[in-house]
């Protein structure tokens, strides 16, 4: 079915046109690439499989009875460079959080917790002292993150340039922290830097988001790195108006720039012909272009083009979206407006994380599922109607880790029910008001909670086995001696991978979209472009 904006006549025009670039997939990276190319005067077509644009970067009214537009999949922004926002003139703002994280714990039968403010002030120091007995762990924390920031400030500006070599980056960082992040498994580093299992765990979680691995595997180091380098600070910020605001802005822009957009247009093949042009076939017909940019995952690209399928870990997280009529009080007595203002970690001690990984590796649902919870509306209530704000409603998002796709393969619904029920019970261990009593109730009496397993993410938003980064993250450099590249090239000339699965992809960043567009514009400017002129 054609979307209302596309008539049979306009579709016919697209089928007859020779595009400069066809983009497979209308996620935010496809839209970013389209915007840069169209601004440079190129004719661009986006073919999106789903009924709407945005991929995993959308806001939706998940609970139809309530005007609450939740960031259904991705929810916080760090990796999107300010330069992309300014280059494209996007009206998209992210808001800082006063609290970075709160981690409840039970010690000697008492409910306590670790508070980390974003600016790391006196309340953070006092919290470390109350939890660990003195301020030594807080000092170690500050030293560690000060060192990590040296890496962030060096790497962030390189992300929108051709890949530096490993040696160039190491020389630019020029500090012992290089060895900790690039040469030593992060688990070893944490064991040598920190004493407290909860403190180690809070640091480690950044290495395990969407990455099913042990802390002793470099996959955790790569994931950790991407969580700490965004815009040179690694700060995770709240998208004002929700994640869908970014896509709304991008869609408006590319439409104004004359990009053609087709939804419900799953691509089934793309082939480079002998004249150098590509024919890209979709449910709505075949389109011709000089370049193809694949915003879909590389595993999916390998099914539609003659490129090798990459190996990858499966997705391993549960995403639970909730609408609350009130925030729950905590057993520790900490104000919920403080505790939920940042990332609320549950059961993410270092020991919990290692145990959960081992259990899930051996096909068991973890005894305790590590998870992090976040309340968008404490920072940005604008995703709720005035009425819901006035009544004290809030949203909560839970991201559970170490629940890999394979756990759900044989008995999906029963395992999903077991996992959700465990997660709620784990939350309730720390809550004075059980979460079930705080959830909003729909007109039909059901509670406003929805959960997505990795397999449901594959079904709903085409993430292979639910991998939120399409595939495992890569180091943000090329090895010495490798050819110069933007990290988006494939085995086929003029076919570029510009989604999360590219080198320096992963997350809401627009980086591979930008880099794919730059790779093409560089080719055009060098005269080594694809054959044939756009019509
Ligand atoms: C639950 C969850 C939470 C996350 N949380 C965060 C977060 O807080 N912060 C963050 O930075 N990142 C987060 N991420 C990761 C982030 O959302 C993704 O890495 C990012 O959205 C990828 O963007 P993309 O444009 O590269 O690809 P996608 O958003 O995956 O878009 C690719 C598009 O290609 C389309 N497509 C696939 N196959 C075809 C085909 N054959 N033909 C046509 N179209 C096709 C898909 O339908 C999709 O629209 C999260 C992801 C998930 C799932």
């Amino acid at each position: 079915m054609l979307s209302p904006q596309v008539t049979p006549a306009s579709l016919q025009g697209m089928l007859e046109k020779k595009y400069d670039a066809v983009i497979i997939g209308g996620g935010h990276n496809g839209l970013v690439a389209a915007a840069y190319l169209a601004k440079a005067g190129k004719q661009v077509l986006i073919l999106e499989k789903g009924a709407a644009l945005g991929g995993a970067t959308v806001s939706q009214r998940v609970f139809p009875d309530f005007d609450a537009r939740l960031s259904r999949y991705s929810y916080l922004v760090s990796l999107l460079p300010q330069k992309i926002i300014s280059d494209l003139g996007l009206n998209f703002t992210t808001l800082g959080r006063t609290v970075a994280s709160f981690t409840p714990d039970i010690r000697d039968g008492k409910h306590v917790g670790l508070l980390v403010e974003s600016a790391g002030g006196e309340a953070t120091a006092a919290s470390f002292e109350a939890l660990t007995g003195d301020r030594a762990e807080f000092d170690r924390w500050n030293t560690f993150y000060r060192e990590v920031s040296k890496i962030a400030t060096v790497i962030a500006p390189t992300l929108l340039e051709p890949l530096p070599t490993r040696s160039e980056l190491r020389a630019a960082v020029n500090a012992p922290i290089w060895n900790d992040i690039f040469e030593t498994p992060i688990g070893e580093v944490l064991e040598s830097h920190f004493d407290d299992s909860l403190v180690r765990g809070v640091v480690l979680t950044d290495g395990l988001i969407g990455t099913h691995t042990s802390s002793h595997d470099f996959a955790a180091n790569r994931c950790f790195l991407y969580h700490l380098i965004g815009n040179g600070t690694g700060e995770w910020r709240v998208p004002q108006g929700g994640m869908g605001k970014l896509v709304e802005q991008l869609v408006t822009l590319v439409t104004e720039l004359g990009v053609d957009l087709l939804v419900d247009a799953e691509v089934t093949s793309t082939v480079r012909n002998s004249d150098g042009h590509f024919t890209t076939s979709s449910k709505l017909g075949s389109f011709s272009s000089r370049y193809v940019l694949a915003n879909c995952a590389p595993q999916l690209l390998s099914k539609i083009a003659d490129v090798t399928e990459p190996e990858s870990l499966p997705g391993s997280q549960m995403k639970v979206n909730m609408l609350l009529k009130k925030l729950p009080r905590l057993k520790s007595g900490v104000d919920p407006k403080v505790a939920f203002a940042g990332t609320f970690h549950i059961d993410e001690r270092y020991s919990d994380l290692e145990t959960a990984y081992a259990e899930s590796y051996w096909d068991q649902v973890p005894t305790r599922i590590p998870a992090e919870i976040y309340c968008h509306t404490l920072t940005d209530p604008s995703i709720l109607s005035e009425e819901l704000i006035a009544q004290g409603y809030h949203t909560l998002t839970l991201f559970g880790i170490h629940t890999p796709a394979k756990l759900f393969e044989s008995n999906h619904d029963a395992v999903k029910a077991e996992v959700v029920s465990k997660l709620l019970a784990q939350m309730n261990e720390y809550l004075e008001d059980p979460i079930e009593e705080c959830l909003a109730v729909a007109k039909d009496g059901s509670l406003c909670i929805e959960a997505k397993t990795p397999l449901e993410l594959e079904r709903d938003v085409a993430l292979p086995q639910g991998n939120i980064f399409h595939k495992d993250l890569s180091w943000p450099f090329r090895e010495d001696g490798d050819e110069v590249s933007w990290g988006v090239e494939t085995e086929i000339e003029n076919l570029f991978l510009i989604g999360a699965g590219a080198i320096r992809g992963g997350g809401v960043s627009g980086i591979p979209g930008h880099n794919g567009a730059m790779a093409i514009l560089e080719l055009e400017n060098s005269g080594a472009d694809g054959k044939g002129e756009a019509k």
Side-chain angles (χ1 to χ4, degrees), residues 24-30 47-50 52 54-57 72-79 236 243 265-267 295-296 300 304 317 319 399 457 461-463 468-470 498-500 506-508:
I24 306 171
H28 82 287
N29 274 312
L47 297 170
E48 166 55 45
K49 170 185 172 173
T57 315
R72 195 170 207 164
Y73 306 105
S74 51
Y75 48 100
L76 287 171
V77 180
S78 174
L79 288 158
W236 286 87
M243 206 51 110
E266 179 172 7
V267 170
N295 179 199
C296 60
L300 301 175
I304 58 183
Q317 68 295 312
K319 174 84 193 302
F399 191 96
L457 292 175
V461 273
L463 301 173
I468 69 167
F469 307 130
H470 289 184
I498 56 120
V508 178

Side-chain angles (χ1 to χ4, degrees), residues 23-32 46-58 71-80 209-210 226-227 236-237 239 243 247 262 264-269 280-283 294-297 300-301 303-304 317-321 374 397-399 452-453 457-464 466-471 473 498-502 505-510 512-513:
I23 301 181
I24 306 171
H28 82 287
N29 274 312
L31 292 162
V32 165
I46 296 181
L47 297 170
E48 166 55 45
K49 170 185 172 173
L53 298 160
T57 315
V58 288
S71 301
R72 195 170 207 164
Y73 306 105
S74 51
Y75 48 100
L76 287 171
V77 180
S78 174
L79 288 158
L80 176 65
I209 295 296
Y226 279 86
H227 278 86
W236 286 87
R237 296 171 64 89
M243 206 51 110
V247 166
L262 288 175
D264 286 321
E266 179 172 7
V267 170
T268 47
S269 81
T280 301
S281 303
S282 77
K283 277 168 69 178
N295 179 199
C296 60
L300 301 175
L301 181 62
K303 294 184 173 48
I304 58 183
Q317 68 295 312
M318 286 294 293
K319 174 84 193 302
V320 184
N321 293 312
Y374 145 78
T397 273
L398 180 149
F399 191 96
K452 299 272 182 195
T453 67
L457 292 175
E458 177 163 42
R459 180 196 66 195
D460 297 349
V461 273
L463 301 173
N467 190 321
I468 69 167
F469 307 130
H470 289 184
K471 71 174 249 307
L473 296 164
I498 56 120
V508 178
S509 75

Side-chain angles (χ1 to χ4, degrees), residues 271-324:
V271 176
R272 188 162 192 254
N273 307 311
S274 52
D275 65 355
H277 280 85
F278 287 85
T279 302
T280 301
S281 303
S282 77
K283 277 168 69 178
L284 297 180
S286 295
F287 301 89
S288 174
S289 64
R290 294 189 294 138
Y291 299 97
V292 169
L293 295 89
N295 179 199
C296 60
Q299 297 91 318
L300 301 175
L301 181 62
S302 72
K303 294 184 173 48
I304 58 183
D306 191 13
V307 294
T308 313
E309 179 170 358
E311 283 192 11
S312 177
L313 294 169
S316 55
Q317 68 295 312
M318 286 294 293
K319 174 84 193 302
V320 184
N321 293 312
M322 294 172 258
L323 179 67
L324 307 183

Side-chain angles (χ1 to χ4, degrees), residues 309-495:
E309 179 170 358
E311 283 192 11
S312 177
L313 294 169
S316 55
Q317 68 295 312
M318 286 294 293
K319 174 84 193 302
V320 184
N321 293 312
M322 294 172 258
L323 179 67
L324 307 183
K325 50 191 184 207
K326 62 172 187 185
L327 278 178
R329 287 170 303 155
L330 272 78
K331 287 185 178 159
S332 61
V334 171
D335 181 353
K337 289 191 172 147
V338 172
F340 290 108
T343 301
F344 186 92
H345 300 269
I346 56 169
D347 297 318
E348 293 195 331
R349 297 162 203 91
Y350 186 61
S351 52
D352 294 330
L353 293 165
E354 290 296 88
T355 305
Y357 174 69
E359 289 174 331
S360 57
Y361 178 87
W362 293 109
D363 298 343
Q364 265 183 57
V365 172
T367 310
R368 305 184 75 84
I369 305 169
E372 23 206 90
I373 298 159
Y374 145 78
C375 175
H376 182 106
T377 44
L378 279 171
T379 309
D380 170 35
S382 76
I383 63 167
L384 299 178
S385 65
E386 291 294 329
E387 200 188 345
L388 291 182
I389 296 172
Q391 290 173 31
Y393 279 64
H394 281 286
T395 61
L396 271 196
T397 273
L398 180 149
F399 191 96
I401 64 176
H402 290 334
T403 52
K406 63 179 178 172
L407 296 183
F408 301 89
E409 265 158 15
S410 60
N411 201 0
H412 181 272
D413 292 357
V415 177
K416 176 177 171 181
E418 177 191 347
V419 166
V420 173
S421 132
K422 260 192 184 182
L423 284 166
L424 298 187
Q426 284 174 237
M427 279 181 85
N428 285 341
E429 280 183 42
Y430 305 107
L431 301 180
E432 187 66 34
D433 304 314
I435 192 70
E436 293 85 343
E437 287 177 12
C438 302
L439 287 166
V441 183
K443 283 184 190 143
D444 66 2
S446 61
L447 296 178
C448 290
I449 176 168
E450 76 153 12
K452 299 272 182 195
T453 67
L455 295 181
E456 287 171 325
L457 292 175
E458 177 163 42
R459 180 196 66 195
D460 297 349
V461 273
L463 301 173
Q465 291 203 287
N467 190 321
I468 69 167
F469 307 130
H470 289 184
K471 71 174 249 307
D472 313 341
L473 296 164
S474 323
W475 290 126
F477 52 70
R478 64 191 160 95
E479 291 302 336
D480 299 339
D482 282 358
E483 266 179 50
V484 176
S485 95
W486 282 90
V488 294
E489 295 77 3
T490 69
E491 292 141 277
I492 298 179
E493 199 181 342
N494 295 340
L495 169 62

